[in-house]
Amino acid sequence: MSILLVTSSPRGSASHSTRIATEFAEKLLAADPSNTLVVRDLVANPLPHIDPDYATGIYTPAEARTAHQAEVVGVSDVVLDELFAADTVILATGFINFNISSTLKSWVDHITRSGRSFSYGEGGPKGLVTGKEVYIVLASGGIYSEGAAVQMDHAVPYLRSVLGFLGMTDVEVIRIEGVGMGADAVTAALAKATAKVDAVVAAGAAERVVAAA
């Protein structure tokens, strides 16, 4: 199984989403030595925002692209190749101004391409990125999974919508929420997220045992 880990929090080593997502990927690797891991660190290596040359270049035949068009479309090609090669995708982000990080949004912009990751036909749009298990690891200072603040969560609904549009409908959310409510809340949030990660890893191991029986 190929695992793609995409991290995007600007908080570096202090990031809860990066920590839990990285531990998740490492546990999947430990559970099955045949697994492989590709890491896309969007903070250390941010993707460029899409520009006019990208917007025109993706609709221009490769042989007719300018040098800059080829460069920016090439960036998109690389991240798309990483996505298509993955069986499991782990997306890690902080909850920033009620949505995902801008670096992760740039990644979404680069993987959402007509003719590559989706197409239009007589029946409407069709997602071309299928057969993936996707996990969203989201850290937030407050509680947005329930209560009055649910309506302020634009991160999870957005990611579910755009991933589903591309064909990725097997999506699970691992929240690390309430980390802005004191040390005890941080400890509890991390423990809850870790328990969910462990349950996912254990379930996968059990499925492999059944498949091998």
Side-chain angles (χ1 to χ4, degrees):
M1 178 176 71
S2 176
I3 304 161
L4 173 61
L5 170 62
V6 181
T7 61
S8 64
S9 172
R11 299 182 69 243
S13 60
S15 166
H16 298 303
S17 64
T18 298
R19 170 186 164 183
I20 293 297
T22 301
E23 290 177 356
F24 186 11
E26 290 173 346
K27 288 175 179 179
L28 289 174
L29 285 175
D32 186 347
S34 69
N35 289 343
T36 60
L37 174 64
V38 172
V39 178
R40 168 68 62 174
D41 184 339
L42 296 173
V43 176
N45 297 290
L47 297 172
H49 290 293
I50 58 176
D51 63 9
D53 278 332
Y54 173 88
T56 55
I58 57 175
Y59 297 109
T60 301
E63 65 277 6
R65 290 171 185 157
T66 66
H68 190 249
Q69 284 177 329
E71 178 183 353
V72 293
V73 174
V75 170
S76 175
D77 288 338
V78 169
V79 293
L80 272 167
D81 288 344
E82 289 176 348
L83 177 60
F84 276 110
D87 302 298
T88 297
V89 181
I90 303 172
L91 304 178
T93 182
F95 192 71
I96 301 175
N97 297 324
F98 311 113
N99 212 319
I100 62 175
S101 64
S102 61
T103 50
L104 184 57
K105 177 57 168 62
S106 289
W107 181 83
V108 170
D109 289 340
H110 279 284
I111 66 164
T112 307
R113 270 175 62 185
S114 178
R116 284 293 310 271
S117 54
F118 71 93
S119 63
Y120 285 107
E122 292 182 358
K126 178 182 179 181
L128 304 177
V129 189
T130 58
K132 315 292 182 189
E133 291 182 341
V134 182
Y135 297 91
I136 299 168
V137 180
L138 175 68
S140 60
I143 305 294
Y144 295 91
S145 63
E146 60 185 11
V150 167
Q151 62 183 344
M152 301 299 289
D153 178 5
H154 302 288
V156 171
Y158 169 71
L159 285 174
R160 284 191 180 277
S161 294
V162 71
L163 293 171
F165 178 80
L166 299 181
M168 292 172 278
T169 56
D170 185 358
V171 178
E172 187 167 349
V173 180
I174 299 172
R175 290 184 182 264
I176 314 156
E177 53 184 352
V179 296
M181 299 178 176
D184 290 344
V186 171
T187 299
L190 290 173
K192 185 176 181 180
T194 298
K196 189 164 185 178
V197 164
D198 290 344
V200 170
V201 174
E207 287 178 2
R208 286 192 297 276
V209 170
V210 171

